[in-house]
Amino acid sequence: MCRLRVGHTWLTQSYLLKNEEQPFCYACDSLYTVRHILIEYPDFQDTRRKYYSVTDLYRLFREVNPSRIVGYLKDLGVYGKI
């Protein structure tokens, strides 16, 4: 949860260690960030609704039980990459 809160996860920041370009979501024309995964990416919307309905990171980490966030990430298949 700490890594998600500060936005530094293996999935979104490993490019720094690998000397690669920053991950980019071509479907949305935006950077691949924790915010993008947890809140913004439209293709994850139906899955996201099963776990929470907040629309910003502040409310997500204050109002949503961490187990719901973990469940969402596991459902997406990215939990192990956090």
Side-chain angles (χ1 to χ4, degrees):
M1 291 307 296
C2 290
R3 284 188 248 168
L4 291 171
R5 287 179 191 217
V6 298
H8 291 267
T9 68
W10 180 254
L11 187 62
T12 61
Q13 301 294 308
S14 63
Y15 74 96
L16 295 168
L17 299 171
K18 297 176 183 178
N19 199 28
E20 298 175 348
E21 294 292 320
Q22 186 171 3
F24 192 78
C25 178
Y26 293 98
C28 298
D29 196 34
S30 67
L31 295 174
Y32 200 62
T33 63
V34 169
R35 171 185 290 283
H36 192 65
I37 297 165
L38 295 177
I39 301 293
E40 299 172 343
Y41 190 61
D43 286 356
F44 296 161
Q45 187 172 1
D46 290 339
T47 304
R48 200 168 30 247
R49 281 189 191 139
K50 291 189 322 189
Y51 294 94
Y52 52 86
S53 61
V54 298
T55 57
D56 63 78
L57 290 175
Y58 179 80
R59 289 185 56 219
L60 177 69
F61 293 120
R62 292 205 39 123
E63 299 174 11
V64 176
N65 187 307
S67 66
R68 307 289 295 164
I69 300 168
V70 169
Y72 168 70
L73 294 169
K74 285 181 177 180
D75 208 358
L76 294 181
V78 299
Y79 178 75
K81 298 174 184 173
I82 298 300

